[in-house]
Amino acid sequence: MLTIEKFAAIDIGSNAIRLLIATVIEKDGYAPQFKKTSLVRLPIRLGADVFLQGRISEENYKRMLDAMTAFSLIMKNHKVVAYRACATSAMREAKNGNDLAKKLLDTTGVNIQIIDGNDEAAIIASTDLKELIQDNKVFLYVDVGGGSTEFTVFAKGKSVISKSFQLGTVRIINDMIRDTIWDEVKSWIVENTKDYNKLEVIGSGGNINSIYRYSEKKVGKPLSYFFLANFYEKVKDLTYHERIFELQMNPDRADVIVPATRIYLSAMKWSKAKNIYVPKIGLADGIVKQLYNERKANTLEVK
């Protein structure tokens, strides 16, 4: 006998807004299966508003309103049993972020939680990342977003230290990065990885997933520093339109891919990592796992 339920996660980032619907299949005596049933991505670049003007524009609020209305209908159609919507750097820093979240709740019924960088890292850590992190290895986890990048050091299978920096791709292309930020990130990485040998990097985010698809590597195989460095030199030398046409990138990926690659490369260089692993995980996957675990805990309590 199988139990089949659907859960949904809404990830409101600085570069895009995503709706993930996952089907969870349970059978007694077996681990639950998580299957991605639907993924909708909308390139509503909230960070371009917030990092330049300090608030979300009326135009982008209307786009968010349309998105949340559509997401609500999609979740209803899929008969989702539980959902969670989390907003990160852009809405967190927007002067009108909380007010717009309340307006969207009143008009669409979608409740948006604005979370900080530590919450974001903790949610992602609850994903299948745990299956990749082995007790006998050390990893630097790097999650590059539009507004911020989260770094976490894992050793002996556990998180040792985490930090979020306002170093994001949308900030970089809009020249909104403090002069000292790269030095701060370098110092943090060097200080927190210097005592480990043979450290490797785990990368997450839409940009590294795009690079991984371009590499045509077999699933589970890492990208080398050499490959990533060559890729960086190639995309850096192409124009925005050449990236769209020759590399067949989406327009909202073709501009942020360069700063994103630079962040991953820098993290590998400063931690002396030779490889970067690219599991297909992100905030939305972590939200689904949390929702499922909470539902199971509540069911056990009722019994």
Side-chain angles (χ1 to χ4, degrees):
M1 183 76 176
L2 299 181
T3 301
I4 302 173
E5 292 182 319
K6 290 182 180 179
F7 296 81
I10 298 174
D11 172 6
I12 302 171
S14 302
N15 191 43
I17 296 176
R18 302 170 184 82
L19 167 67
L20 169 66
I21 293 178
T23 301
V24 182
I25 303 170
E26 290 182 307
K27 184 176 181 180
D28 288 343
Y30 293 86
Q33 295 180 4
F34 291 79
K35 296 184 179 295
K36 294 184 180 181
T37 302
S38 177
L39 178 63
V40 181
R41 180 182 182 276
L42 302 175
I44 304 175
R45 191 167 281 180
L46 299 179
D49 284 345
V50 178
F51 307 144
L52 291 172
Q53 303 164 15
R55 58 192 297 111
I56 295 169
S57 66
E58 182 65 21
E59 178 186 355
N60 271 344
Y61 167 69
K62 289 178 179 177
R63 295 177 73 193
M64 287 184 70
L65 178 60
D66 289 341
M68 293 306 118
T69 301
F71 287 179
S72 178
L73 291 172
I74 292 171
M75 290 190 294
K76 180 180 178 182
N77 192 272
H78 274 277
K79 298 181 180 179
V80 164
V81 298
Y83 83 92
R84 182 165 292 147
C86 292
T88 55
S89 186
M91 282 195 76
R92 184 165 64 238
E93 295 180 33
K95 295 176 182 176
N96 57 346
N98 287 315
D99 290 339
L100 294 188
K102 291 175 183 176
K103 285 179 67 176
L104 289 167
L105 174 60
D106 292 340
T107 52
T108 69
V110 177
N111 184 21
I112 298 172
Q113 301 174 15
I114 300 176
I115 62 174
D116 64 24
N118 292 328
D119 292 333
E120 190 174 353
I123 291 171
I124 295 172
S126 68
T127 65
D128 291 338
L129 186 62
K130 292 182 291 187
E131 296 178 8
L132 181 60
I133 296 170
Q134 302 164 25
D135 290 349
N136 62 337
K137 290 187 177 182
V138 180
F139 294 96
L140 173 64
Y141 174 74
V142 184
D143 180 40
V144 176
S148 63
T149 297
E150 278 67 49
F151 298 91
T152 304
V153 176
F154 287 93
K156 297 181 179 179
K158 295 181 180 180
S159 170
V160 176
I161 190 170
S162 296
K163 191 169 179 63
S164 178
F165 290 90
Q166 288 185 332
L167 181 68
T169 57
V170 178
R171 288 188 200 272
I172 293 174
I173 64 174
N174 285 288
D175 295 322
M176 295 297 294
I177 297 294
R178 289 184 288 105
D179 292 339
T180 59
I181 192 71
W182 287 100
D183 289 336
E184 291 173 18
V185 173
K186 178 181 179 179
S187 295
W188 188 90
I189 291 176
V190 170
E191 178 63 27
N192 290 286
T193 62
K194 65 182 181 181
D195 295 331
Y196 301 110
N197 294 320
K198 296 182 179 179
L199 179 146
E200 294 181 295
V201 169
I202 298 173
S204 73
N207 288 290
I208 195 67
N209 287 332
S210 178
I211 296 168
Y212 197 78
R213 286 192 296 272
Y214 173 82
S215 75
E216 297 183 344
K217 283 273 187 178
K218 291 184 179 180
V219 175
K221 297 293 183 181
L223 301 178
S224 68
Y225 180 88
F226 178 75
F227 170 85
L228 203 60
N230 283 340
F231 178 85
Y232 179 63
E233 291 302 320
K234 178 175 182 176
V235 295
K236 185 163 63 75
D237 290 341
L238 294 175
T239 66
Y240 171 70
H241 290 105
E242 286 172 340
R243 289 176 215 139
I244 293 172
F245 187 78
E246 294 181 20
L247 300 184
Q248 299 181 13
M249 289 185 179
N250 289 329
D252 66 305
R253 181 71 65 205
D255 54 353
V256 294
I257 195 74
V258 176
T261 310
R262 181 186 173 189
I263 295 172
Y264 290 115
L265 261 181
S266 298
M268 293 181 75
K269 179 180 179 181
W270 297 331
S271 64
K272 299 180 180 178
K274 294 182 179 179
N275 294 301
I276 179 170
Y277 288 85
V278 189
K280 288 187 177 182
I281 57 170
L283 183 64
D285 302 275
I287 292 171
V288 167
K289 284 289 178 73
Q290 281 195 343
L291 287 170
Y292 169 76
N293 290 333
E294 288 170 9
R295 190 170 175 84
K296 286 297 292 181
N298 290 336
T299 302
L300 292 172
E301 286 176 9
V302 171
K303 291 180 178 179

